[in-house]
Amino acid sequence: MDRIKQRKFPKVKELADVLGLVPLLDVEMESEIKTQSVYRVGYELNGFFSEGEELLTNVNVLGRKEISYLERMNFEKRREILNRYMSYPFPALIVTLENHIVNEIVEIAKKYKKPVLKSNNKTIEFIRNAKFYLQKVLAEEILIDEYILLDVYGVGLLLTGYEDARLGATVELLERGHKFITDTRLKIRNIANRFILGSNTADKENGDSHFYLFGKDRNDIDVTTHFGIKSTRKEKKINLLIELEKWDEKKFYDRLGLDELHEEFLGFKIPKVTLPVRKGRNLAIIIETAAINYRLKKTGVNSAEYFWKESKKLIEENRENKKRGLVVNDKTSMPVRYIKSRFSLNVLNGEEYLDTKYITTTGVYRPSLALTGYFDMYGEEGYKGLQLFTDTEFKYLESISVEEKEKNLERYLEEDFPAIIISGVKNIPSYFLDKIIEKNIILLETKLDRPSHVVATFSAYLENYFAPSASVHGVFVELYGFGVLLTGKSGIGKSETALELIHRGHRLIADDSVRFEKGVIGDITGRASKLPYFMEIRGLGIIDVKALYGVGAVRISKRLDIIIELQELKSEDYLTAMDYQESTEILLGNEIPKIKLYISSGRNAAAMVEIAVMNLMAKRMGYNSEEVYLKELKNKNYRENN
C-alpha cells in the first residue's frame, strides 16, 4: 500500500485575509506558516532569547500586557531588544493594541521587512481564532489507495483486503442504507491531534459524479445514481479498520472483536479487525456487527434495570429543575487527577492533592514574564491554569542572579494555579523541587517534549471539556449523517416524529433537553443533558430507545447541522407557500440553518423531515432542485412556443 504524504503551508497574507488582519506596513506577506502554534512573546522582552521554534517558525503575538511591559523600558534598551527580536525569522508579528510603542515596533520591523499586522480582537480571542484556522490548514495528511471508506451506523469504517469481497460487501452495505465516501485516492488528515478525517479527493466540478465505486473490468458504479444522494458523504472521521482475507482452514480465527489489533495512520492507532471470507458468510451483516461492537465499547453496556432506575431519578430531577427554571452546567471545574489520568502523567509531587486541586480554565501557560518579576495583570490574563516548565524556563532562571531568582520564584509560586507540568527536562534543579515540596504544589511530568505540542494537545482537551454550552428544549436526531434538532411547542409531536424516524433507520441523540457545546474547532455538538437514549412518548410513557432498537438507533453526540421547527398547519390549503420556510438561528455564536415545517393530521411529519434534510444535503453539494425545475420549465415553454 502506497501512502503519499502531503502538506500545504498557508502564507501570511492568507492568514490576514481569513482573520481580517490589517497590515501596518507595506512589505511582502509571502512567508509560509509551517506550524499550528501561535506564540505570545514573553522572555524576549527582557532580553532573553532562546533558539527554539517560537522565534523561528511560529506566528508571534504582542498583546496589551506585553506592550505595557515595553512602555516601562527606557528608549535605548527597548530599541536594542526590539532590533534583536525582529532579526529572528518568525513569519509575522500580530499586535492587538495601537499606541506609540506599536509605531516604534513597525519602524524597526520595516528595517527587517517583517510583516506586522493589527487584529481588532482581544489577544486571547485572536490566538483562539488563529489556532482554529492553522489547525485546519496545516493538518498533516496522506493519500492512500486500496481502501474503501464507509459510514456504517455513524462509525467511520475503512474496508481493505480481498478485492472481490470488498466490492461485494460495499454494494450490500449501500443497499442496507449505509453511506459511501470513497474507494480511491482517500485523503486522511490529522485534525488538531484529536482524530483523523478521511475524505473524497475526486474532481468535484461535475456535481455528485465523483462518488464512484470502481469495480473490475471498468464496471464502475455511480453511487449517487444507483443509491441516491443520501448514500454519500464527502468526509468522515475514521474509527475502525476491517481487513478482509480469504478463509484459511489451517489458520485459527479468534472470535470477532476479541483481538486488540491496531494499524497506525498519521500517529493514530486505529482498531483493526480481520474478517475471513468464505461462501455462505453474509459480510455486510458481520461488518455491521463489527461497527455496532465498536460503538458498544465506546458507549459502555448497562443493564435495563440500571437504565430504568437512573432514568426515573434523572427525569424527576429534570422536571424539578424546569419548574425552578434552573439550567445546570456541571463542567465548571476539573480535578487535576483527570488530566493526570488522561495523559498518563508522572506525579513528582502532590499525589494527595490530585482530587482537591481543580482546573478552571483552558489555558496552558509558560510563566514567561512572571519569572522576570513582572506580575502586573497576571490574574487578569487568566494564569489560574496549568503551568508549563521546559528547559527554557530553567535556563532563564540560571541566567539571572541568585537573589533575583529566589525572589521571582518565591513570588510566582504564591499564585494559586492547579499544577505545574514539566516537559523535556532531564534534571530538575534541587532548588526548584525544594520549593515545590515546601509549598505543596502538584508537579507533573509529561513524555511530550515539544512545548508547542504540549500546549496544543492539553489545550485542545481542555477546550473540549470546558466548551461553551447551552441547553435547548427539543429532540436531537441524526438523519443521513446530519444532526437535526426538532423544536416546537409542547404537544406538537416532536418525540413521536423522532420515534418514527428511528423506525425508518435514523438515530436518536437526545430527547427533551439537549445540551449543545462549542468545540475546539468551532463546531457545535449536541448530546443529552443528563441520561441519554430515553424518550417520553405520550400514551406509552418512558421508553429506552437503545434497549428497544439497539445501539445502531442511538448516538452519544453529533454536530448540529440544521434546526427544524414543527408548527401546526391551521389552514386547510395544502399548497400554501407557508408550508416550508427557510431562515437561520444563532446558537453559541454560530449561524445554523433553520426550517419551519407546518404539519397536520393528514401529513407525515417524519417523511417531511427526511425530505427537508435531503434537500439541504443536495444544496450543500451544489444541486438546487427549485432552480433546476424552473430552468426545465422555462426550456419546455420555449420549445412549445417555437
Side-chain angles (χ1 to χ4, degrees):
M1 173 197 66
D2 292 330
R3 297 188 182 183
I4 305 172
K5 285 195 174 183
Q6 292 188 324
R7 203 72 184 271
K8 297 177 182 178
F9 299 113
K11 295 182 178 179
V12 172
K13 64 180 181 181
E14 294 169 15
L15 178 71
D17 292 340
V18 171
L19 299 184
L21 306 177
V22 180
L24 297 183
L25 72 163
D26 186 17
V27 298
E28 287 189 354
M29 296 191 292
E30 297 295 318
S31 298
E32 292 182 335
I33 302 172
K34 297 185 177 181
T35 65
Q36 300 177 7
S37 299
V38 177
Y39 177 59
R40 190 164 185 174
V41 183
Y43 299 108
E44 296 77 12
L45 304 185
N46 197 49
F48 181 78
F49 293 85
S50 176
E51 302 292 334
E53 61 180 13
E54 294 87 351
L55 297 181
L56 301 179
T57 57
N58 294 359
V59 171
N60 279 215
V61 181
L62 281 176
R64 184 160 64 93
K65 178 183 66 172
E66 291 77 25
I67 297 296
S68 173
Y69 184 78
L70 285 170
E71 284 180 326
R72 300 188 180 194
M73 289 185 190
N74 64 59
F75 179 77
E76 291 77 12
K77 182 180 179 182
R78 182 168 63 239
R79 291 188 70 87
E80 177 187 347
I81 287 175
L82 287 175
N83 266 287
R84 185 175 175 191
Y85 168 66
M86 289 295 180
S87 69
Y88 283 86
F90 58 91
L93 174 64
I94 315 300
V95 295
T96 58
L97 191 70
E98 289 185 7
N99 64 8
H100 68 281
I101 296 296
V102 173
N103 295 335
E104 191 175 319
I105 291 170
V106 171
E107 176 193 340
I108 295 172
K110 188 174 183 180
K111 180 171 66 172
Y112 293 94
K113 299 182 179 180
K114 178 79 66 181
V116 179
L117 304 100
K118 170 72 169 57
S119 171
N120 291 321
N121 292 328
K122 293 181 179 179
T123 308
I124 299 223
E125 289 176 355
F126 165 76
I127 292 173
R128 180 185 175 92
N129 294 337
K131 282 182 178 179
F132 285 169
Y133 169 70
L134 293 175
Q135 284 170 354
K136 283 187 177 182
V137 298
L138 286 173
E140 188 180 0
E141 62 185 46
I142 55 173
L143 286 176
I144 61 174
D145 284 315
E146 300 180 4
Y147 284 79
I148 296 175
L149 180 57
L150 302 165
D151 179 340
V152 179
Y153 291 136
V155 174
L157 194 149
L158 273 179
L159 200 58
T160 189
Y162 188 13
E163 184 178 8
D164 287 344
R166 189 172 75 225
L167 296 174
T170 298
V171 170
E172 188 168 352
L173 286 166
L174 293 174
E175 288 176 342
R176 295 176 65 84
H178 303 294
K179 287 171 275 294
F180 174 86
I181 293 90
T182 188
D183 81 333
T184 183
R185 306 292 286 174
L186 169 65
K187 179 166 71 174
I188 298 178
R189 289 181 290 161
N190 177 335
I191 303 298
N193 290 319
R194 295 178 58 232
F195 59 86
I196 56 173
L197 189 71
S199 57
N200 187 317
T201 60
D203 181 12
K204 300 176 178 56
E205 293 297 323
N206 299 318
D208 303 313
S209 62
H210 54 284
F211 291 104
Y212 272 101
L213 181 61
F214 293 95
K216 285 187 174 182
D217 303 320
R218 301 304 300 168
N219 293 320
D220 303 336
I221 299 173
D222 185 332
V223 174
T224 307
T225 299
H226 284 78
F227 301 102
I229 198 169
K230 68 181 184 298
S231 295
T232 62
R233 288 191 66 166
K234 290 185 178 180
E235 57 186 18
K236 185 72 181 79
K237 175 182 175 181
I238 297 174
N239 305 112
L240 182 64
L241 170 65
I242 293 183
E243 182 174 9
L244 305 176
E245 66 174 41
K246 289 185 179 181
W247 189 285
D248 184 352
E249 296 291 345
K250 298 180 180 179
K251 184 175 180 179
F252 171 75
Y253 293 103
D254 199 354
R255 296 210 305 190
L256 183 64
L258 295 181
D259 292 334
E260 294 293 332
L261 300 177
H262 298 83
E263 186 162 323
E264 190 170 304
F265 296 86
L266 297 177
F268 284 83
K269 290 184 177 180
I270 301 300
K272 178 180 178 180
V273 174
T274 300
L275 290 181
V277 178
R278 70 175 180 182
K279 291 182 180 179
R281 297 197 89 199
N282 189 322
L283 284 178
I285 295 292
I286 298 173
I287 290 169
E288 285 182 334
T289 304
I292 294 173
N293 188 57
Y294 171 84
R295 294 174 65 87
L296 282 169
K297 289 181 178 179
K298 291 295 181 181
T299 61
V301 178
N302 298 291
S303 67
E305 183 180 355
Y306 171 82
F307 269 108
W308 178 247
K309 289 180 179 178
E310 289 300 306
S311 67
K312 288 195 294 184
K313 186 190 301 181
L314 292 175
I315 288 168
E316 187 59 35
E317 288 178 5
N318 283 338
R319 287 176 177 166
E320 290 300 316
N321 287 337
K322 284 182 182 178
K323 289 179 183 178
R324 300 196 303 268
L326 180 64
V327 177
V328 180
N329 180 358
D330 56 358
K331 282 192 173 183
T332 57
S333 63
M334 173 196 289
V336 175
R337 185 176 295 279
Y338 279 31
I339 204 93
K340 179 262 180 187
S341 300
R342 173 64 179 80
F343 295 101
S344 301
L345 302 178
N346 184 28
V347 182
L348 302 179
N349 188 63
E351 176 81 38
E352 64 271 33
Y353 305 116
L354 293 178
D355 296 311
T356 56
K357 279 285 189 178
Y358 295 90
I359 302 167
T360 58
T361 183
T362 62
V364 179
Y365 303 100
R366 298 177 70 176
S368 190
L369 296 178
L371 297 183
T372 72
Y374 182 74
F375 291 93
D376 287 12
M377 295 181 287
Y378 199 73
E380 181 181 331
E381 289 296 323
Y383 286 98
K384 298 298 181 184
L386 293 169
Q387 306 289 300
L388 176 63
F389 264 68
T390 68
D391 267 332
T392 300
E393 277 68 27
F394 290 116
K395 286 179 181 177
Y396 174 75
L397 288 172
E398 293 299 329
S399 72
I400 59 180
S401 68
V402 174
E403 294 77 12
E404 189 177 7
K405 175 171 62 179
E406 174 72 16
K407 183 184 72 173
N408 294 351
L409 193 57
E410 180 73 19
R411 170 65 179 84
Y412 166 70
L413 293 178
E414 290 175 359
E415 293 295 324
D416 188 27
F417 42 75
I420 294 176
I421 297 174
I422 299 290
S423 170
V425 180
K426 293 182 179 179
N427 297 305
I428 303 172
S430 58
Y431 69 83
F432 183 80
L433 281 174
D434 291 342
K435 286 284 186 185
I436 293 296
I437 295 169
E438 175 190 335
K439 295 183 177 295
N440 299 324
I441 293 172
I442 298 174
L443 185 64
L444 306 171
E445 184 179 40
T446 176
K447 294 178 182 177
L448 302 176
D449 56 6
R450 285 176 51 207
S452 61
H453 193 188
V454 175
V455 173
T457 302
F458 282 56
S459 293
Y461 173 69
L462 292 171
E463 289 277 4
N464 187 60
Y465 185 91
F466 291 110
S469 64
S471 291
V472 178
H473 181 66
V475 185
F476 194 34
V477 290
E478 183 200 54
L479 281 77
Y480 310 130
F482 278 64
V484 182
L485 175 64
L486 302 179
T487 64
K489 68 178 184 179
S490 179
I492 193 69
K494 299 184 294 295
S495 294
E496 287 78 7
T497 300
L499 183 61
E500 185 171 352
L501 288 168
I502 292 166
H503 273 278
R504 290 167 173 256
H506 305 297
R507 288 177 280 279
L508 172 75
I509 294 101
D511 178 55
D512 190 28
S513 180
V514 190
R515 175 175 175 156
F516 288 102
E517 299 175 344
K518 191 167 186 177
V520 68
I521 60 175
D523 287 341
I524 293 178
T525 302
R527 64 179 66 228
S529 291
K530 295 280 185 169
L531 193 67
Y533 314 143
F534 286 85
M535 295 181 68
E536 182 177 359
I537 306 297
R538 282 176 173 81
L540 294 178
I542 303 298
I543 64 171
D544 183 346
V545 174
K546 180 182 174 185
L548 290 178
Y549 303 105
V551 72
V554 296
R555 284 195 67 158
I556 285 184
S557 62
K558 186 74 181 74
R559 183 187 67 231
L560 175 63
D561 295 293
I562 185 171
I563 299 171
I564 296 181
E565 182 180 352
L566 303 181
Q567 293 197 356
E568 184 180 359
L569 179 65
K570 297 181 179 179
S571 170
E572 294 301 321
D573 183 3
Y574 277 68
L575 298 179
T576 174
M578 295 294 288
D579 290 357
Y580 183 93
Q581 294 184 357
E582 296 185 24
S583 61
T584 59
E585 183 170 317
I586 302 298
L587 181 62
L588 295 175
N590 285 18
E591 194 173 61
I592 308 297
K594 181 177 181 179
I595 292 174
K596 288 184 179 180
L597 288 182
Y598 289 80
I599 61 175
S600 69
S601 58
R603 293 183 167 190
N604 189 311
M608 293 172 66
V609 169
E610 283 184 327
I611 292 169
V613 173
M614 283 191 283
N615 189 51
L616 174 67
M617 183 186 297
K619 286 184 177 180
R620 287 194 177 181
M621 292 183 170
Y623 181 83
N624 190 313
S625 57
E626 184 178 356
E627 291 179 0
V628 172
Y629 171 78
L630 293 175
K631 183 178 179 180
E632 290 297 323
L633 187 62
K634 182 178 179 180
N635 291 339
K636 181 181 179 182
N637 292 336
Y638 177 82
R639 288 193 299 269
E640 289 176 350
N641 295 326
N642 290 278

